[in-house]
Amino acid sequence: MGFVGEVWRLMRQEELLGEIVIDESEFPWLHGRFAPAPTFGAVKPWFDESLALVEAEEFERFDDSYDRIAAALTLLAPSGPVAEFLLHISDGRAWFRWSDEPFDAV
């Protein structure tokens, strides 16, 4: 699996929010251990809310909620920032899918 062992970084501008060490690759999702930086606490409620909305199958509200994450945060692959991503974080785990192009263009 080409992604296993890679370290991806969650950023807000130049501020590191946490790192994801990939330990499972199940196309199109990557999964890994999430090591939050102390700064992650400021955005953790965003992830809690978006995951709760997915679990409640409130997808329209999820879209609105997740827009805040997509607008403010960046996901950095080992090769650099990705154009778009869908990221969930809970209990020390992260799972996400990503694209080098905006999802609407794919």
Side-chain angles (χ1 to χ4, degrees):
M1 311 266 182
F3 296 102
V4 173
E6 290 184 349
V7 177
W8 292 55
R9 291 176 177 80
L10 181 63
M11 307 290 293
R12 179 167 51 184
Q13 297 175 343
E14 300 300 316
E15 176 181 54
L16 176 66
L17 298 174
E19 294 183 332
I20 304 164
V21 179
I22 306 301
D23 57 21
E24 184 181 337
S25 175
E26 185 179 317
F27 183 81
W29 295 91
L30 297 179
H31 304 256
R33 291 184 329 272
F34 181 70
T39 53
F40 180 69
V43 299
K44 182 182 182 301
W46 301 357
F47 287 94
D48 294 343
E49 176 187 58
S50 70
L51 188 56
L53 291 169
V54 166
E55 290 173 349
E57 298 183 4
E58 295 186 34
F59 301 118
E60 187 172 310
R61 288 185 58 210
F62 165 79
D63 289 341
D64 293 338
S65 171
Y66 195 81
D67 285 347
R68 173 177 43 189
I69 293 170
L73 307 182
T74 303
L75 186 62
L76 294 178
S79 60
V82 300
E84 193 155 353
F85 61 95
L86 176 57
L87 171 65
H88 301 290
I89 298 172
S90 180
D91 298 327
R93 299 287 301 162
W95 58 104
F96 64 96
R97 56 187 296 175
W98 62 277
S99 176
D100 285 331
E101 298 177 19
F103 287 147
D104 292 340
V106 176

